[in-house]
Amino acid sequence: MDRKLLDILVCPLCKGPLVYEKERQELICKADRLAYPIRDDIPVMLEDEARELSPEEEY
């Protein structure tokens, strides 16, 4: 992912920062406990497409 794009992207719900998880190709919002997928190098920043993080997943 492009570093400049990562620097400007925020969570669409809380407007908080996101953590890039390279191995899973996801952007993680710690505050909302959501993981937004990255498909073909394009972040899918839709709440309906995000998955909820399990309690075991710590970031």
Side-chain angles (χ1 to χ4, degrees):
M1 283 242 16
D2 181 29
R3 176 49 70 194
K4 289 182 182 181
L5 179 60
L6 288 174
D7 289 342
I8 62 171
L9 282 176
V10 295
C11 175
L13 297 179
C14 70
K15 308 302 184 236
L18 297 168
V19 176
Y20 176 47
E21 178 60 45
K22 186 175 183 174
E23 290 179 14
R24 296 188 102 173
Q25 288 295 292
E26 294 177 324
L27 293 171
I28 308 295
C29 176
K30 294 179 186 181
D32 293 321
R33 300 197 47 81
L34 291 175
Y36 296 94
I38 300 171
R39 297 186 187 124
D40 298 323
D41 287 332
I42 300 170
V44 181
M45 304 304 292
L46 300 171
E47 183 180 5
D48 293 342
E49 293 288 324
R51 70 174 181 87
E52 290 187 32
L53 296 176
S54 68
E56 295 82 32
E57 290 179 287
E58 290 292 324
Y59 288 94

